[in-house]
Amino acid sequence: MSISLLTLDDLRDVERRQASVLESGTLMERAGQDIASRLERELPPKGRVTILCGTGNNGGDGFTAARCLKARGHDVICVLVGGDEPKAEDAKRAFAAWQAVGGKTVREPDSLGKADIVVDAMLGIGGDRPIRGEILDATIWYNVQNSLKVSIDVPTGLNAETGNWNGRIQGCRSDMTIALLSAHAGLFMNEGRDAAGHVCLSELDVSIPLPLQGLIDEADYGHILEPRPHFCHKGTWGTAAIVGGDDGKIGAAILASRAALRLGAGRVKTEFLASDAPAVDPGCPELMIAESPLDLASFSALVVGPGMGTGEKSVKRLLDAIHCEDTPLVLDADALTILAEKPELQEELLTRRAMTVLTPHPLEAAKLLRNKVEEVQSNRIFWARELALQTGAAIVLKGTGTVVSLRSGHAWVNPTGSAALATAGTGDVLSGMIGSFIAQGYDLTTAVLGAVWLHGAAAQCATMPVLADELSSRAATALGMLRRAKLRWAEAGSDPLSSVGTIALQPGQLAPAPVEMIGKVRH
Ligand SMILES: NC(=O)C1=CN([C@@H]2O[C@H](COP(=O)(O)OP(=O)(O)OC[C@H]3O[C@@H](n4cnc5c(N)ncnc54)[C@H](O)[C@@H]3O)[C@@H](O)[C@H]2O)[C@@H](O)CC1
Ligand SMILES: Nc1ncnc2c1ncn2[C@@H]1O[C@H](COP(=O)(O)OP(=O)(O)O)[C@@H](O)[C@H]1O
Ligand SMILES: [K+]
């Protein structure tokens, strides 16, 4: 969690504390300088830049960046949107400084020629209402510009915490967003992921308190990248049991089982609930298909639910698994539907000694929370935390920007993944991957965060939906390559591979960074 995702309350606290120790306008000046430096990398000499400035402090950042770019010889025009003058104090000063250097400001953008870069500095984290009037008009203009489009702090109209458009009114859709002080969860979730584009962060040289939430990164899953010792055997890497696959849904349990095996579990046994289940998986003969119900307590990890059905037999098997109190348990799909229908089973989860992981998609989460999908999606981090408290389990709330939450209140947003995952069976693969890492003996957070991150990373470069079964092979290949890269990097002491399979890496990195750090970087 080295990239923090501060809540708006936390950010306002940081701002207040900084205001008492720094001269007013200092942060805005740093923001303007860092924005200008980053934009300059995208500009030709004497590049043309149009900056849409709102009347709040986001607009102030825009005027400050304008002044810095002008000083570096670029041709900059500001458009003041939403009023005849800035309202926030720092923004007033920034506007005056822009005017003092002869900066040109107009009130609407329609007559302006094409710019190399168009900047959205209309609304930042203070934008909490649906956009309308001048801001809406300028947003519509912005979205059709054939220029590089860059939002400052957050795309105008987007809720920085939830990644939803305020009031469902579409706001600015950008190629790049330069976040200030801290990255925002909304830039990686729901509509925010598409609206933000490439995310840069300037921390403005401010030390940020360690928050409860951040992006999943190598600091969280690094252990899974460690090479295996030579001195080991299949028993070293645990045995996972996959329980599921009722009539007509055998494939789901196969997908989870294959994923568990491919990602490194020493052995995987599959218990199908279907009456006509196959005795072998011809595509993966390494799997052991149980002929009779498994002794669930004897496994290193249980994955229960993929294609399991919700009938009496399934309920009984779920209960058996929950009662294996000392065996780590991953519950997915139909197991979650049963849990939602039988709240008394959720209470039993609270008494388990071993870890439990629930992997709901938003509809499954809504049912568990006795809620609506829209409500869950309106604040995914909040509801993932609620579900962790309700069940005592680690929660993996899937979707665009998967959220992982623990009962302790810690929450992570996954920066990897893509729409290539929006295809049947990829969730089954994820539950098998989590079960695999748990069976291998990784601690709960490493296993869950590593699986979620890798599952997304394996799909990231695909332009078409990935067949779920291919996904686990891709994830295994990516993991192997990352392990090799780490080894080489450790041996060479510096530059690893510049590219690892489908995952493009910067020199010195093992995995693509979700956020480009700009300005003065403190870590
Ligand atoms: N305070 C600080 O320490 C720093 C703040 N910075 C900038 O300041 C921004 C926050 O500034 P503000 O708090 O002034 O907020 P904004 O500039 O985001 O918004 C200004 C005003 O817009 C109003 N508003 C909300 N939704 C609206 C809508 N749909 N239509 C019209 N008006 C709407 C709000 O009531 C608010 O008063 C950050 O996003 C960042 O860009 C940066 O300068 C970095 C440092
Ligand atoms: N647009 C998307 N962007 C990122 N991840 C996605 C997207 N759509 C789906 N996913 C991921 O794909 C998986 C789908 O899981 P799930 O809905 O349980 O499907 P299934 O039951 O068919 O396996 C989850 O890991 C989810 O986070
Ligand atoms: K903005």
Side-chain angles (χ1 to χ4, degrees):
M1 200 190 270
S2 42
I3 302 279
S4 312
L5 299 171
L6 261 60
T7 61
L8 297 191
D9 286 347
D10 288 342
L11 272 170
R12 297 292 189 201
D13 266 0
V14 173
E15 284 172 22
R16 266 192 295 276
R17 251 179 292 128
Q18 292 299 316
S20 64
V21 294
L22 292 176
E23 212 172 296
S24 63
T26 306
L27 290 183
M28 194 170 278
E29 192 59 35
R30 289 179 190 166
Q33 293 284 357
D34 287 351
I35 294 163
S37 300
R38 182 62 187 83
L39 294 185
E40 199 169 30
R41 284 174 39 198
E42 311 292 337
L43 282 171
K46 298 189 178 162
R48 298 191 63 179
V49 185
T50 299
I51 305 187
L52 306 176
C53 299
T55 57
N57 287 324
N58 197 243
D61 293 338
F63 286 120
T64 310
R67 178 168 49 74
C68 299
L69 283 166
K70 186 170 190 291
R72 297 170 192 212
H74 298 290
D75 178 6
V76 189
I77 294 184
C78 289
V79 183
L80 180 58
V81 185
D84 289 328
E85 56 185 6
K87 294 188 184 112
E89 285 310 312
D90 285 352
K92 282 182 189 168
R93 270 192 292 274
F95 182 50
W98 168 241
Q99 288 181 309
V101 297
K104 185 175 169 194
T105 307
V106 297
R107 283 286 278 118
E108 52 95 18
D110 291 344
S111 57
L112 301 178
K114 183 177 180 315
D116 298 300
I117 299 183
V118 182
V119 178
D120 149 38
M122 290 188 282
L123 293 171
I125 57 170
D128 52 4
R129 290 179 268 129
I131 54 170
R132 56 191 184 85
E134 285 185 22
I135 295 187
L136 180 57
D137 292 344
T139 297
I140 292 168
W141 177 86
Y142 177 88
N143 284 340
V144 298
Q145 294 310 297
N146 187 19
S147 312
L148 182 78
K149 295 195 281 276
V150 181
S151 280
I152 302 307
D153 210 16
V154 60
T156 286
L158 191 80
N159 181 307
E161 282 189 351
T162 68
N164 294 310
W165 296 118
N166 289 317
R168 299 198 181 178
I169 306 294
Q170 289 229 5
C172 289
R173 305 180 78 90
S174 299
D175 303 300
M176 181 191 287
T177 294
I178 301 178
L180 302 168
L181 279 176
S182 146
H184 313 296
L187 303 180
F188 301 91
M189 249 193 299
N190 289 338
E191 317 241 32
R193 181 102 189 252
D194 291 318
H198 175 70
V199 178
C200 300
L201 168 63
S202 165
E203 293 177 319
L204 305 180
D205 202 19
V206 171
S207 149
I208 299 292
L210 258 188
L212 276 178
Q213 58 195 45
L215 290 177
I216 301 178
D217 62 22
E218 207 183 307
D220 304 304
Y221 59 76
H223 287 318
I224 65 166
L225 305 184
E226 301 290 339
R228 284 183 165 187
H230 289 281
F231 187 61
C232 69
H233 56 87
K234 65 186 172 196
T236 314
W237 306 109
T239 308
I242 314 292
V243 180
D246 200 358
D247 293 328
K249 292 198 273 185
I250 286 172
I254 292 180
L255 289 169
S257 304
R258 289 182 176 187
L261 203 53
R262 285 177 179 148
L263 272 297
R267 284 178 294 218
V268 177
K269 292 195 180 176
T270 309
E271 178 186 317
F272 291 119
L273 276 85
S275 43
D276 58 350
V280 66
D281 171 4
C284 186
E286 300 85 351
L287 278 184
M288 288 179 274
I289 312 279
E291 288 175 344
S292 52
L294 295 169
D295 171 14
L296 297 179
S298 67
F299 286 85
S300 333
L302 306 176
V303 177
V304 179
M308 186 188 203
T310 55
E312 223 173 281
K313 206 170 33 172
S314 313
V315 175
K316 180 184 172 302
R317 232 27 206 139
L318 172 59
L319 204 55
D320 291 343
I322 292 174
H323 287 162
C324 293
E325 291 183 343
D326 294 314
T327 311
L329 176 61
V330 181
L331 297 180
D332 185 32
D334 291 333
L336 300 175
T337 304
I338 298 174
L339 271 187
E341 284 165 4
K342 297 185 182 301
E344 65 278 13
L345 294 194
Q346 290 186 43
E347 284 178 23
E348 299 218 25
L349 289 183
L350 289 165
T351 63
R352 283 174 48 77
R353 283 186 293 272
M355 58 179 104
T356 310
V357 182
L358 309 186
T359 59
H361 57 55
L363 178 60
E364 288 159 348
K367 285 183 185 160
L368 285 162
L369 288 156
R370 308 211 163 280
N371 210 334
K372 291 211 158 28
V373 177
E374 297 73 34
E375 188 69 21
V376 170
Q377 293 291 69
S378 74
N379 197 339
R380 290 165 55 79
I381 295 179
F382 174 84
W383 289 111
R385 281 204 176 105
E386 284 295 300
L387 197 51
L389 286 177
Q390 181 178 310
T391 59
I395 303 300
V396 178
L397 175 56
K398 297 181 290 195
T400 308
T402 289
V403 177
V404 176
S405 169
L406 305 182
R407 189 152 57 156
S408 62
H410 287 89
W412 291 259
V413 176
N414 183 34
T416 67
S418 76
L421 290 172
T423 176
T426 51
D428 305 320
V429 168
L430 178 64
S431 64
M433 288 175 65
I434 296 172
S436 181
F437 288 143
I438 294 175
Q440 290 170 67
Y442 295 107
D443 64 273
L444 173 78
T445 41
T446 301
V448 174
L449 297 174
V452 167
W453 183 89
L454 192 62
H455 180 263
Q460 202 136 309
C461 294
T463 44
M464 288 294 286
V466 185
L467 282 183
D469 193 40
E470 280 171 19
L471 180 65
S472 56
S473 295
R474 271 175 175 250
T477 305
L479 178 58
M481 287 178 162
L482 286 166
R483 281 181 177 167
R484 261 206 309 282
K486 184 164 184 165
L487 205 59
R488 284 193 214 178
W489 187 31
E491 282 166 2
S494 62
D495 290 348
L497 309 176
S498 57
S499 142
V500 175
T502 55
I503 303 175
L505 299 180
Q506 301 294 321
Q509 285 179 317
L510 281 174
V515 168
E516 179 191 331
M517 303 299 291
I518 63 169
K520 220 176 191 180
V521 178
R522 277 177 297 102
H523 49 167

